[in-house]
Amino acid sequence: MGKLFDLDSPFMRALNKIADLMLLNLVVLFFLVVPFTGGAALTGMHYVLLKMVRDEESYIIKGFWKSFKLNFKQATVLWIIVLVVGAIIGVDFAWIYYNADKVPAAYTYIMFGVSILLYMVSLYIFPLQSRFDNPIKRTLKNSVMFAILGLPRTVGMTLVSLIPIVLLYFFDMQILPILILFGVTGPSFLMALMYNGLFKRFEPKVEEEETKEPVNDEDDEELQAAIKRMQEARDRK
């Protein structure tokens, strides 16, 4: 029984992750309410969640805030793009609703299909922003590519992301306290479990390129001098 409550036991690690998800969810909700900070908040959230999935040591608030500040400008632009596209789709569906007798059924089905595809692509935007350093245009292109390469996990991510809406539909406001604690980070953590393997396929090349730094003449001279000292020390032995 004592081992169950050891700090390194699976039970305690699970409890720690639950507590971290709860704390992170409250922070993310706060910034989602504040105008124009939603993109940076989702980026910071996915930065922390990916570390949690990989069991990498990370302070929740410190890691979130680090990614939030680092990606704020670009994530905000991406957030505005997502909101604008979402608003256009919403207006289009409202127009279809009020003109149902005039709009062909085929147009409704096409709009529904396009909306689903765009939503699937949007699920990768902020995880990619949190992990890879790319221009906005490249991030959007990569989101499309990952959504395609990630099939069928992209479908799974879509279904998981809709869990809060499904819970609200069936349980109404009774489920609201749970959603306040885990409504954003809970589904997003499950999504991170799904896209983690896909991200790893591309990370080695990126990390290798990032670690390659040009060697100037001074560095080369210092390296040669160090090698010479090592050879002289070996000869003395």
Side-chain angles (χ1 to χ4, degrees):
M1 190 69 178
K3 292 183 179 180
L4 182 66
F5 295 100
D6 288 346
L7 292 178
D8 294 330
S9 69
F11 177 73
M12 291 302 296
R13 288 202 300 268
L15 283 182
N16 286 332
K17 282 190 176 180
I18 291 173
D20 290 341
L21 289 175
M22 181 177 66
L23 175 61
L24 183 60
N25 197 84
L26 294 174
V27 174
V28 173
L29 283 179
F30 173 79
F31 284 105
L32 284 175
V33 174
V34 179
F36 303 112
T37 58
L42 293 177
T43 301
M45 177 191 71
H46 282 286
Y47 173 83
V48 174
L49 291 179
L50 198 57
K51 284 186 171 294
M52 290 176 63
V53 166
R54 297 177 178 182
D55 291 323
E56 297 177 0
E57 291 294 332
S58 175
Y59 294 100
I60 300 301
I61 302 301
K62 185 178 179 180
F64 171 86
W65 190 241
K66 172 186 175 183
S67 180
F68 183 98
K69 292 189 295 183
L70 182 65
N71 295 284
F72 180 79
K73 291 183 180 179
Q74 191 157 309
T76 301
V77 175
L78 290 168
W79 178 243
I80 293 173
I81 292 173
V82 170
L83 291 180
V84 170
V85 173
I88 293 172
I89 293 174
V91 170
D92 206 357
F93 273 111
W95 179 80
I96 292 173
Y97 178 79
Y98 289 109
N99 298 274
D101 55 336
K102 302 176 183 178
V103 179
Y107 179 78
T108 304
Y109 295 140
I110 291 173
M111 274 300 303
F112 186 71
V114 170
S115 301
I116 292 176
L117 292 176
L118 289 175
Y119 180 71
M120 288 180 173
V121 170
S122 71
L123 295 177
Y124 286 94
I125 291 177
F126 299 107
L128 285 172
Q129 177 63 34
S130 72
R131 190 61 186 171
F132 301 100
D133 185 17
N134 286 312
I136 292 174
K137 187 176 180 180
R138 183 68 178 273
T139 298
L140 294 173
K141 285 184 176 180
N142 287 347
S143 298
V144 176
M145 181 189 71
F146 273 69
I148 296 172
L149 292 177
L151 290 172
R153 77 187 73 193
T154 301
V155 177
M157 289 169 58
T158 303
L159 296 175
V160 165
S161 69
L162 297 176
I163 288 177
I165 297 175
V166 174
L167 291 176
L168 271 175
Y169 178 80
F170 284 104
F171 299 99
D172 201 25
M173 300 303 289
Q174 297 175 356
I175 201 68
L176 190 59
I178 301 298
L179 296 182
I180 291 175
L181 296 178
F182 303 103
V184 182
T185 56
S188 297
F189 179 78
L190 297 177
M191 289 166 55
L193 288 171
M194 297 181 191
Y195 67 66
N196 176 38
L198 183 62
F199 278 26
K200 282 185 175 181
R201 288 169 52 185
F202 294 88
E203 285 173 6
K205 295 180 181 179
V206 175
E207 291 174 356
E208 183 179 349
E209 291 175 359
E210 290 178 348
T211 54
K212 287 181 180 178
E213 297 180 356
V215 179
N216 56 37
D217 294 338
E218 293 181 359
D219 292 337
D220 187 62
E221 291 176 0
E222 291 179 0
L223 180 62
Q224 294 297 331
I227 294 175
K228 185 176 180 181
R229 287 195 296 270
M230 291 174 62
Q231 289 175 343
E232 290 176 351
R234 184 184 59 187
D235 293 340
R236 284 197 296 271
K237 290 181 179 181

Short mmCIF file of all heavy atoms in Angstrom, two decimals, residues 35-97:
data_model
loop_
_atom_site.label_atom_id
_atom_site.label_comp_id
_atom_site.label_asym_id
_atom_site.label_seq_id
_atom_site.Cartn_x
_atom_site.Cartn_y
_atom_site.Cartn_z
N PRO A 35 -9.12 39.13 -25.16
CA PRO A 35 -9.08 39.31 -26.61
C PRO A 35 -7.68 39.10 -27.21
O PRO A 35 -6.69 39.58 -26.66
CB PRO A 35 -9.54 40.77 -26.81
CG PRO A 35 -10.35 41.07 -25.59
CD PRO A 35 -9.70 40.31 -24.47
N PHE A 36 -7.63 38.35 -28.31
CA PHE A 36 -6.45 38.16 -29.14
C PHE A 36 -5.30 37.39 -28.48
O PHE A 36 -4.19 37.36 -29.02
CB PHE A 36 -5.90 39.52 -29.64
CG PHE A 36 -6.91 40.31 -30.41
CD1 PHE A 36 -7.42 41.50 -29.90
CD2 PHE A 36 -7.37 39.87 -31.63
CE1 PHE A 36 -8.36 42.23 -30.60
CE2 PHE A 36 -8.31 40.60 -32.35
CZ PHE A 36 -8.81 41.78 -31.84
N THR A 37 -5.53 36.76 -27.34
CA THR A 37 -4.46 35.96 -26.73
C THR A 37 -4.72 34.46 -26.85
O THR A 37 -3.93 33.67 -26.34
CB THR A 37 -4.29 36.33 -25.24
OG1 THR A 37 -5.53 36.12 -24.55
CG2 THR A 37 -3.86 37.78 -25.08
N GLY A 38 -5.81 34.10 -27.51
CA GLY A 38 -6.17 32.68 -27.62
C GLY A 38 -5.13 31.85 -28.34
O GLY A 38 -4.81 30.73 -27.93
N GLY A 39 -4.57 32.40 -29.43
CA GLY A 39 -3.57 31.65 -30.20
C GLY A 39 -2.32 31.36 -29.41
O GLY A 39 -1.81 30.25 -29.41
N ALA A 40 -1.81 32.38 -28.71
CA ALA A 40 -0.61 32.19 -27.89
C ALA A 40 -0.89 31.23 -26.74
O ALA A 40 -0.02 30.43 -26.35
CB ALA A 40 -0.14 33.54 -27.34
N ALA A 41 -2.12 31.28 -26.19
CA ALA A 41 -2.49 30.38 -25.09
C ALA A 41 -2.53 28.93 -25.56
O ALA A 41 -2.02 28.04 -24.88
CB ALA A 41 -3.85 30.78 -24.51
N LEU A 42 -3.11 28.68 -26.73
CA LEU A 42 -3.17 27.32 -27.26
C LEU A 42 -1.78 26.82 -27.64
O LEU A 42 -1.47 25.63 -27.48
CB LEU A 42 -4.10 27.27 -28.48
CG LEU A 42 -5.59 27.53 -28.19
CD1 LEU A 42 -6.38 27.52 -29.49
CD2 LEU A 42 -6.14 26.48 -27.22
N THR A 43 -0.94 27.72 -28.13
CA THR A 43 0.44 27.34 -28.46
C THR A 43 1.20 26.95 -27.20
O THR A 43 1.89 25.91 -27.17
CB THR A 43 1.15 28.50 -29.17
OG1 THR A 43 0.44 28.84 -30.36
CG2 THR A 43 2.58 28.12 -29.53
N GLY A 44 1.10 27.77 -26.16
CA GLY A 44 1.76 27.45 -24.90
C GLY A 44 1.22 26.17 -24.30
O GLY A 44 1.97 25.38 -23.72
N MET A 45 -0.08 25.94 -24.42
CA MET A 45 -0.68 24.72 -23.89
C MET A 45 -0.11 23.48 -24.57
O MET A 45 0.27 22.51 -23.91
CB MET A 45 -2.20 24.76 -24.09
CG MET A 45 -2.92 23.50 -23.63
SD MET A 45 -4.66 23.44 -24.15
CE MET A 45 -4.46 23.18 -25.93
N HIS A 46 -0.04 23.51 -25.90
CA HIS A 46 0.47 22.34 -26.63
C HIS A 46 1.97 22.13 -26.37
O HIS A 46 2.44 20.99 -26.39
CB HIS A 46 0.20 22.49 -28.12
CG HIS A 46 -1.21 22.18 -28.51
ND1 HIS A 46 -1.70 20.89 -28.54
CD2 HIS A 46 -2.25 22.98 -28.84
CE1 HIS A 46 -2.97 20.91 -28.90
NE2 HIS A 46 -3.34 22.16 -29.08
N TYR A 47 2.70 23.21 -26.13
CA TYR A 47 4.11 23.08 -25.77
C TYR A 47 4.27 22.27 -24.48
O TYR A 47 5.09 21.36 -24.40
CB TYR A 47 4.72 24.48 -25.61
CG TYR A 47 6.13 24.48 -25.07
CD1 TYR A 47 7.21 24.28 -25.93
CD2 TYR A 47 6.39 24.69 -23.72
CE1 TYR A 47 8.51 24.27 -25.44
CE2 TYR A 47 7.68 24.70 -23.23
CZ TYR A 47 8.73 24.50 -24.09
OH TYR A 47 10.02 24.49 -23.60
N VAL A 48 3.44 22.59 -23.50
CA VAL A 48 3.49 21.90 -22.20
C VAL A 48 2.95 20.47 -22.33
O VAL A 48 3.53 19.52 -21.79
CB VAL A 48 2.69 22.67 -21.15
CG1 VAL A 48 2.60 21.88 -19.85
CG2 VAL A 48 3.32 24.03 -20.88
N LEU A 49 1.86 20.29 -23.06
CA LEU A 49 1.24 18.97 -23.18
C LEU A 49 2.16 17.97 -23.86
O LEU A 49 2.22 16.80 -23.47
CB LEU A 49 -0.08 19.08 -23.96
CG LEU A 49 -1.23 19.80 -23.26
CD1 LEU A 49 -2.45 19.86 -24.17
CD2 LEU A 49 -1.58 19.10 -21.95
N LEU A 50 2.90 18.43 -24.88
CA LEU A 50 3.81 17.52 -25.56
C LEU A 50 4.93 17.07 -24.63
O LEU A 50 5.38 15.92 -24.67
CB LEU A 50 4.39 18.19 -26.81
CG LEU A 50 5.01 17.25 -27.86
CD1 LEU A 50 4.02 16.20 -28.32
CD2 LEU A 50 5.53 18.04 -29.04
N LYS A 51 5.38 17.96 -23.77
CA LYS A 51 6.39 17.59 -22.77
C LYS A 51 5.82 16.60 -21.76
O LYS A 51 6.51 15.67 -21.33
CB LYS A 51 6.91 18.83 -22.05
CG LYS A 51 7.89 19.66 -22.89
CD LYS A 51 8.49 20.79 -22.08
CE LYS A 51 9.62 21.46 -22.83
NZ LYS A 51 10.79 20.57 -23.04
N MET A 52 4.55 16.79 -21.39
CA MET A 52 3.91 15.86 -20.47
C MET A 52 3.77 14.48 -21.10
O MET A 52 4.02 13.46 -20.44
CB MET A 52 2.53 16.39 -20.07
CG MET A 52 2.57 17.62 -19.18
SD MET A 52 0.91 18.30 -18.83
CE MET A 52 0.19 16.91 -17.94
N VAL A 53 3.38 14.43 -22.36
CA VAL A 53 3.23 13.16 -23.07
C VAL A 53 4.56 12.42 -23.14
O VAL A 53 4.61 11.19 -23.02
CB VAL A 53 2.67 13.41 -24.48
CG1 VAL A 53 2.81 12.17 -25.36
CG2 VAL A 53 1.20 13.81 -24.39
N ARG A 54 5.64 13.17 -23.31
CA ARG A 54 6.97 12.57 -23.44
C ARG A 54 7.68 12.40 -22.09
O ARG A 54 8.85 12.04 -22.05
CB ARG A 54 7.83 13.42 -24.37
CG ARG A 54 7.27 13.48 -25.79
CD ARG A 54 8.08 14.38 -26.69
NE ARG A 54 7.55 14.36 -28.04
CZ ARG A 54 8.07 15.04 -29.07
NH1 ARG A 54 9.14 15.81 -28.87
NH2 ARG A 54 7.53 14.97 -30.27
N ASP A 55 6.97 12.70 -21.00
CA ASP A 55 7.53 12.59 -19.65
C ASP A 55 8.81 13.40 -19.50
O ASP A 55 9.75 12.99 -18.82
CB ASP A 55 7.79 11.12 -19.31
CG ASP A 55 6.50 10.34 -19.14
OD1 ASP A 55 5.54 10.90 -18.59
OD2 ASP A 55 6.45 9.18 -19.57
N GLU A 56 8.85 14.55 -20.14
CA GLU A 56 9.98 15.46 -19.99
C GLU A 56 9.71 16.40 -18.82
O GLU A 56 8.59 16.89 -18.65
CB GLU A 56 10.20 16.27 -21.27
CG GLU A 56 10.56 15.39 -22.48
CD GLU A 56 10.70 16.21 -23.74
OE1 GLU A 56 10.50 17.44 -23.67
OE2 GLU A 56 10.97 15.62 -24.80
N GLU A 57 10.73 16.65 -18.04
CA GLU A 57 10.57 17.53 -16.88
C GLU A 57 10.23 18.94 -17.34
O GLU A 57 10.90 19.51 -18.20
CB GLU A 57 11.86 17.55 -16.06
CG GLU A 57 12.17 16.24 -15.35
CD GLU A 57 11.15 15.91 -14.27
OE1 GLU A 57 10.55 16.86 -13.72
OE2 GLU A 57 10.95 14.72 -13.99
N SER A 58 9.17 19.49 -16.78
CA SER A 58 8.78 20.84 -17.15
C SER A 58 7.86 21.43 -16.09
O SER A 58 6.97 20.75 -15.57
CB SER A 58 8.06 20.83 -18.50
OG SER A 58 7.57 22.10 -18.84
N TYR A 59 8.10 22.71 -15.76
CA TYR A 59 7.19 23.43 -14.88
C TYR A 59 6.02 23.94 -15.72
O TYR A 59 6.22 24.57 -16.75
CB TYR A 59 7.92 24.59 -14.20
CG TYR A 59 8.99 24.15 -13.24
CD1 TYR A 59 10.33 24.17 -13.61
CD2 TYR A 59 8.66 23.70 -11.96
CE1 TYR A 59 11.32 23.75 -12.74
CE2 TYR A 59 9.65 23.28 -11.08
CZ TYR A 59 10.97 23.31 -11.47
OH TYR A 59 11.95 22.89 -10.61
N ILE A 60 4.81 23.64 -15.29
CA ILE A 60 3.63 23.92 -16.10
C ILE A 60 3.51 25.41 -16.44
O ILE A 60 3.47 25.78 -17.63
CB ILE A 60 2.36 23.43 -15.37
CG1 ILE A 60 2.43 21.93 -15.11
CG2 ILE A 60 1.12 23.77 -16.19
CD1 ILE A 60 2.59 21.09 -16.34
N ILE A 61 3.46 26.25 -15.45
CA ILE A 61 3.26 27.68 -15.69
C ILE A 61 4.49 28.29 -16.37
O ILE A 61 4.35 29.08 -17.32
CB ILE A 61 2.97 28.42 -14.37
CG1 ILE A 61 1.73 27.84 -13.69
CG2 ILE A 61 2.79 29.91 -14.64
CD1 ILE A 61 0.48 27.92 -14.53
N LYS A 62 5.67 27.90 -15.94
CA LYS A 62 6.90 28.45 -16.52
C LYS A 62 7.02 28.06 -17.99
O LYS A 62 7.35 28.89 -18.84
CB LYS A 62 8.11 27.94 -15.74
CG LYS A 62 9.43 28.55 -16.19
CD LYS A 62 10.58 28.05 -15.33
CE LYS A 62 11.90 28.64 -15.79
NZ LYS A 62 13.04 28.14 -14.95
N GLY A 63 6.74 26.79 -18.30
CA GLY A 63 6.81 26.33 -19.67
C GLY A 63 5.76 26.99 -20.54
O GLY A 63 6.02 27.38 -21.68
N PHE A 64 4.55 27.10 -20.00
CA PHE A 64 3.46 27.76 -20.74
C PHE A 64 3.83 29.20 -21.05
O PHE A 64 3.67 29.67 -22.19
CB PHE A 64 2.18 27.70 -19.91
CG PHE A 64 1.05 28.53 -20.48
CD1 PHE A 64 0.22 28.01 -21.45
CD2 PHE A 64 0.85 29.84 -20.04
CE1 PHE A 64 -0.82 28.77 -21.97
CE2 PHE A 64 -0.18 30.60 -20.57
CZ PHE A 64 -1.02 30.06 -21.53
N TRP A 65 4.30 29.92 -20.06
CA TRP A 65 4.59 31.34 -20.23
C TRP A 65 5.76 31.57 -21.18
O TRP A 65 5.77 32.53 -21.96
CB TRP A 65 4.88 31.97 -18.88
CG TRP A 65 4.97 33.47 -18.90
CD1 TRP A 65 6.04 34.23 -18.58
CD2 TRP A 65 3.93 34.39 -19.26
NE1 TRP A 65 5.75 35.56 -18.70
CE2 TRP A 65 4.46 35.69 -19.12
CE3 TRP A 65 2.61 34.22 -19.68
CZ2 TRP A 65 3.71 36.83 -19.41
CZ3 TRP A 65 1.86 35.36 -19.96
CH2 TRP A 65 2.40 36.63 -19.82
N LYS A 66 6.73 30.67 -21.14
CA LYS A 66 7.88 30.76 -22.04
C LYS A 66 7.43 30.66 -23.50
O LYS A 66 7.80 31.48 -24.34
CB LYS A 66 8.88 29.64 -21.72
CG LYS A 66 10.02 29.52 -22.72
CD LYS A 66 10.87 28.30 -22.41
CE LYS A 66 11.94 28.09 -23.48
NZ LYS A 66 12.74 26.86 -23.23
N SER A 67 6.63 29.65 -23.80
CA SER A 67 6.12 29.47 -25.16
C SER A 67 5.15 30.58 -25.53
O SER A 67 5.14 31.04 -26.68
CB SER A 67 5.44 28.10 -25.29
OG SER A 67 4.94 27.90 -26.59
N PHE A 68 4.34 31.02 -24.60
CA PHE A 68 3.37 32.09 -24.83
C PHE A 68 4.08 33.35 -25.32
O PHE A 68 3.68 33.95 -26.33
CB PHE A 68 2.61 32.37 -23.53
CG PHE A 68 1.53 33.41 -23.65
CD1 PHE A 68 0.21 33.01 -23.82
CD2 PHE A 68 1.82 34.76 -23.58
CE1 PHE A 68 -0.81 33.96 -23.92
CE2 PHE A 68 0.81 35.72 -23.68
CZ PHE A 68 -0.50 35.31 -23.86
N LYS A 69 5.12 33.76 -24.62
CA LYS A 69 5.85 34.99 -24.99
C LYS A 69 6.63 34.81 -26.29
O LYS A 69 6.66 35.71 -27.13
CB LYS A 69 6.79 35.39 -23.86
CG LYS A 69 6.09 35.84 -22.58
CD LYS A 69 7.07 36.42 -21.59
CE LYS A 69 8.05 35.38 -21.10
NZ LYS A 69 8.97 35.93 -20.06
N LEU A 70 7.24 33.64 -26.44
CA LEU A 70 8.08 33.40 -27.61
C LEU A 70 7.26 33.40 -28.91
O LEU A 70 7.73 33.87 -29.95
CB LEU A 70 8.81 32.06 -27.45
CG LEU A 70 9.78 31.67 -28.56
CD1 LEU A 70 10.95 32.65 -28.61
CD2 LEU A 70 10.29 30.26 -28.34
N ASN A 71 6.05 32.86 -28.84
CA ASN A 71 5.23 32.69 -30.04
C ASN A 71 4.08 33.69 -30.15
O ASN A 71 3.23 33.54 -31.03
CB ASN A 71 4.64 31.27 -30.06
CG ASN A 71 5.71 30.20 -30.18
OD1 ASN A 71 6.26 29.97 -31.24
ND2 ASN A 71 6.00 29.55 -29.05
N PHE A 72 4.05 34.69 -29.27
CA PHE A 72 2.87 35.54 -29.18
C PHE A 72 2.48 36.19 -30.51
O PHE A 72 1.33 36.09 -30.95
CB PHE A 72 3.07 36.63 -28.12
CG PHE A 72 1.89 37.53 -27.97
CD1 PHE A 72 0.78 37.12 -27.24
CD2 PHE A 72 1.87 38.78 -28.58
CE1 PHE A 72 -0.33 37.94 -27.11
CE2 PHE A 72 0.75 39.60 -28.45
CZ PHE A 72 -0.34 39.18 -27.71
N LYS A 73 3.42 36.85 -31.17
CA LYS A 73 3.09 37.59 -32.38
C LYS A 73 2.57 36.67 -33.48
O LYS A 73 1.50 36.90 -34.06
CB LYS A 73 4.32 38.36 -32.89
CG LYS A 73 4.74 39.51 -31.99
CD LYS A 73 5.92 40.26 -32.59
CE LYS A 73 6.33 41.42 -31.69
NZ LYS A 73 7.50 42.15 -32.26
N GLN A 74 3.32 35.61 -33.76
CA GLN A 74 2.92 34.73 -34.86
C GLN A 74 1.66 33.94 -34.51
O GLN A 74 0.78 33.75 -35.36
CB GLN A 74 4.07 33.77 -35.18
CG GLN A 74 3.86 32.99 -36.48
CD GLN A 74 5.16 32.50 -37.06
OE1 GLN A 74 6.10 33.27 -37.23
NE2 GLN A 74 5.22 31.22 -37.38
N ALA A 75 1.57 33.48 -33.27
CA ALA A 75 0.38 32.72 -32.85
C ALA A 75 -0.87 33.61 -32.89
O ALA A 75 -1.97 33.12 -33.20
CB ALA A 75 0.58 32.16 -31.45
N THR A 76 -0.72 34.89 -32.59
CA THR A 76 -1.86 35.81 -32.62
C THR A 76 -2.36 36.00 -34.05
O THR A 76 -3.57 36.02 -34.30
CB THR A 76 -1.47 37.17 -32.02
OG1 THR A 76 -1.05 36.97 -30.66
CG2 THR A 76 -2.65 38.13 -32.04
N VAL A 77 -1.44 36.12 -34.99
CA VAL A 77 -1.84 36.23 -36.40
C VAL A 77 -2.57 34.97 -36.85
O VAL A 77 -3.61 35.03 -37.52
CB VAL A 77 -0.61 36.50 -37.30
CG1 VAL A 77 -1.01 36.49 -38.77
CG2 VAL A 77 0.05 37.82 -36.94
N LEU A 78 -2.03 33.81 -36.48
CA LEU A 78 -2.69 32.55 -36.81
C LEU A 78 -4.06 32.46 -36.17
O LEU A 78 -5.02 31.95 -36.78
CB LEU A 78 -1.81 31.37 -36.35
CG LEU A 78 -0.51 31.16 -37.13
CD1 LEU A 78 0.38 30.16 -36.40
CD2 LEU A 78 -0.81 30.66 -38.54
N TRP A 79 -4.18 32.94 -34.94
CA TRP A 79 -5.46 32.93 -34.22
C TRP A 79 -6.49 33.80 -34.95
O TRP A 79 -7.64 33.41 -35.10
CB TRP A 79 -5.23 33.44 -32.81
CG TRP A 79 -6.44 33.54 -31.94
CD1 TRP A 79 -6.97 34.68 -31.40
CD2 TRP A 79 -7.26 32.47 -31.45
NE1 TRP A 79 -8.05 34.38 -30.62
CE2 TRP A 79 -8.26 33.03 -30.63
CE3 TRP A 79 -7.24 31.09 -31.63
CZ2 TRP A 79 -9.24 32.28 -30.00
CZ3 TRP A 79 -8.22 30.32 -31.00
CH2 TRP A 79 -9.20 30.91 -30.21
N ILE A 80 -6.06 34.96 -35.41
CA ILE A 80 -6.97 35.85 -36.14
C ILE A 80 -7.42 35.20 -37.45
O ILE A 80 -8.59 35.28 -37.83
CB ILE A 80 -6.29 37.21 -36.41
CG1 ILE A 80 -6.06 37.95 -35.08
CG2 ILE A 80 -7.12 38.06 -37.36
CD1 ILE A 80 -5.25 39.22 -35.22
N ILE A 81 -6.49 34.53 -38.13
CA ILE A 81 -6.84 33.83 -39.37
C ILE A 81 -7.89 32.75 -39.10
O ILE A 81 -8.88 32.62 -39.83
CB ILE A 81 -5.58 33.21 -40.01
CG1 ILE A 81 -4.63 34.30 -40.51
CG2 ILE A 81 -5.97 32.28 -41.16
CD1 ILE A 81 -3.30 33.79 -41.00
N VAL A 82 -7.68 31.98 -38.03
CA VAL A 82 -8.63 30.92 -37.66
C VAL A 82 -10.00 31.52 -37.34
O VAL A 82 -11.04 31.00 -37.78
CB VAL A 82 -8.10 30.10 -36.46
CG1 VAL A 82 -9.18 29.18 -35.92
CG2 VAL A 82 -6.87 29.29 -36.87
N LEU A 83 -10.02 32.62 -36.59
CA LEU A 83 -11.28 33.26 -36.22
C LEU A 83 -12.02 33.80 -37.45
O LEU A 83 -13.24 33.67 -37.57
CB LEU A 83 -11.04 34.39 -35.22
CG LEU A 83 -10.58 33.97 -33.82
CD1 LEU A 83 -10.38 35.22 -32.95
CD2 LEU A 83 -11.58 33.03 -33.16
N VAL A 84 -11.27 34.42 -38.36
CA VAL A 84 -11.88 34.98 -39.56
C VAL A 84 -12.48 33.88 -40.43
O VAL A 84 -13.63 33.99 -40.90
CB VAL A 84 -10.85 35.80 -40.36
CG1 VAL A 84 -11.41 36.18 -41.74
CG2 VAL A 84 -10.46 37.06 -39.59
N VAL A 85 -11.72 32.81 -40.64
CA VAL A 85 -12.23 31.69 -41.44
C VAL A 85 -13.45 31.07 -40.77
O VAL A 85 -14.45 30.76 -41.43
CB VAL A 85 -11.12 30.63 -41.65
CG1 VAL A 85 -11.70 29.38 -42.33
CG2 VAL A 85 -9.99 31.20 -42.49
N GLY A 86 -13.37 30.91 -39.45
CA GLY A 86 -14.51 30.36 -38.71
C GLY A 86 -15.74 31.25 -38.82
O GLY A 86 -16.87 30.75 -38.95
N ALA A 87 -15.53 32.57 -38.77
CA ALA A 87 -16.65 33.51 -38.88
C ALA A 87 -17.29 33.43 -40.27
O ALA A 87 -18.52 33.47 -40.40
CB ALA A 87 -16.17 34.93 -38.60
N ILE A 88 -16.45 33.33 -41.29
CA ILE A 88 -16.97 33.22 -42.66
C ILE A 88 -17.82 31.96 -42.81
O ILE A 88 -18.92 31.99 -43.40
CB ILE A 88 -15.81 33.23 -43.68
CG1 ILE A 88 -15.12 34.60 -43.68
CG2 ILE A 88 -16.32 32.88 -45.08
CD1 ILE A 88 -13.86 34.64 -44.51
N ILE A 89 -17.32 30.85 -42.28
CA ILE A 89 -18.07 29.60 -42.35
C ILE A 89 -19.38 29.71 -41.57
O ILE A 89 -20.43 29.24 -42.03
CB ILE A 89 -17.21 28.43 -41.82
CG1 ILE A 89 -16.04 28.18 -42.75
CG2 ILE A 89 -18.06 27.17 -41.67
CD1 ILE A 89 -15.05 27.15 -42.24
N GLY A 90 -19.32 30.34 -40.40
CA GLY A 90 -20.52 30.51 -39.59
C GLY A 90 -21.58 31.34 -40.31
O GLY A 90 -22.77 30.99 -40.30
N VAL A 91 -21.16 32.44 -40.93
CA VAL A 91 -22.09 33.29 -41.69
C VAL A 91 -22.68 32.52 -42.86
O VAL A 91 -23.88 32.65 -43.16
CB VAL A 91 -21.37 34.56 -42.17
CG1 VAL A 91 -22.24 35.34 -43.16
CG2 VAL A 91 -20.99 35.45 -41.00
N ASP A 92 -21.84 31.71 -43.51
CA ASP A 92 -22.32 30.93 -44.66
C ASP A 92 -23.39 29.93 -44.24
O ASP A 92 -24.42 29.78 -44.90
CB ASP A 92 -21.14 30.20 -45.30
CG ASP A 92 -21.40 29.91 -46.78
OD1 ASP A 92 -22.50 30.21 -47.25
OD2 ASP A 92 -20.50 29.40 -47.45
N PHE A 93 -23.17 29.27 -43.11
CA PHE A 93 -24.17 28.30 -42.63
C PHE A 93 -25.44 29.01 -42.16
O PHE A 93 -26.55 28.46 -42.31
CB PHE A 93 -23.59 27.45 -41.52
CG PHE A 93 -22.85 26.23 -42.01
CD1 PHE A 93 -21.47 26.14 -41.89
CD2 PHE A 93 -23.53 25.19 -42.61
CE1 PHE A 93 -20.79 25.02 -42.35
CE2 PHE A 93 -22.87 24.07 -43.08
CZ PHE A 93 -21.49 23.98 -42.96
N ALA A 94 -25.29 30.20 -41.60
CA ALA A 94 -26.48 30.97 -41.20
C ALA A 94 -27.29 31.35 -42.43
O ALA A 94 -28.54 31.28 -42.43
CB ALA A 94 -26.06 32.22 -40.44
N TRP A 95 -26.60 31.72 -43.51
CA TRP A 95 -27.28 32.06 -44.76
C TRP A 95 -28.00 30.83 -45.33
O TRP A 95 -29.13 30.94 -45.82
CB TRP A 95 -26.27 32.59 -45.76
CG TRP A 95 -26.88 32.95 -47.09
CD1 TRP A 95 -27.55 34.09 -47.40
CD2 TRP A 95 -26.85 32.15 -48.26
NE1 TRP A 95 -27.97 34.05 -48.71
CE2 TRP A 95 -27.55 32.87 -49.26
CE3 TRP A 95 -26.31 30.90 -48.57
CZ2 TRP A 95 -27.72 32.38 -50.55
CZ3 TRP A 95 -26.50 30.40 -49.85
CH2 TRP A 95 -27.18 31.13 -50.82
N ILE A 96 -27.34 29.68 -45.23
CA ILE A 96 -27.97 28.43 -45.70
C ILE A 96 -29.22 28.13 -44.89
O ILE A 96 -30.26 27.72 -45.43
CB ILE A 96 -26.96 27.26 -45.61
CG1 ILE A 96 -25.84 27.45 -46.63
CG2 ILE A 96 -27.67 25.91 -45.84
CD1 ILE A 96 -24.72 26.42 -46.50
N TYR A 97 -29.14 28.35 -43.58
CA TYR A 97 -30.27 28.05 -42.70
C TYR A 97 -31.49 28.91 -43.03
O TYR A 97 -32.63 28.42 -43.08
CB TYR A 97 -29.84 28.27 -41.24
CG TYR A 97 -30.95 28.05 -40.25
CD1 TYR A 97 -31.32 26.76 -39.86
CD2 TYR A 97 -31.63 29.13 -39.68
CE1 TYR A 97 -32.34 26.56 -38.93
CE2 TYR A 97 -32.64 28.94 -38.76
CZ TYR A 97 -32.99 27.65 -38.39
OH TYR A 97 -34.01 27.47 -37.49
#
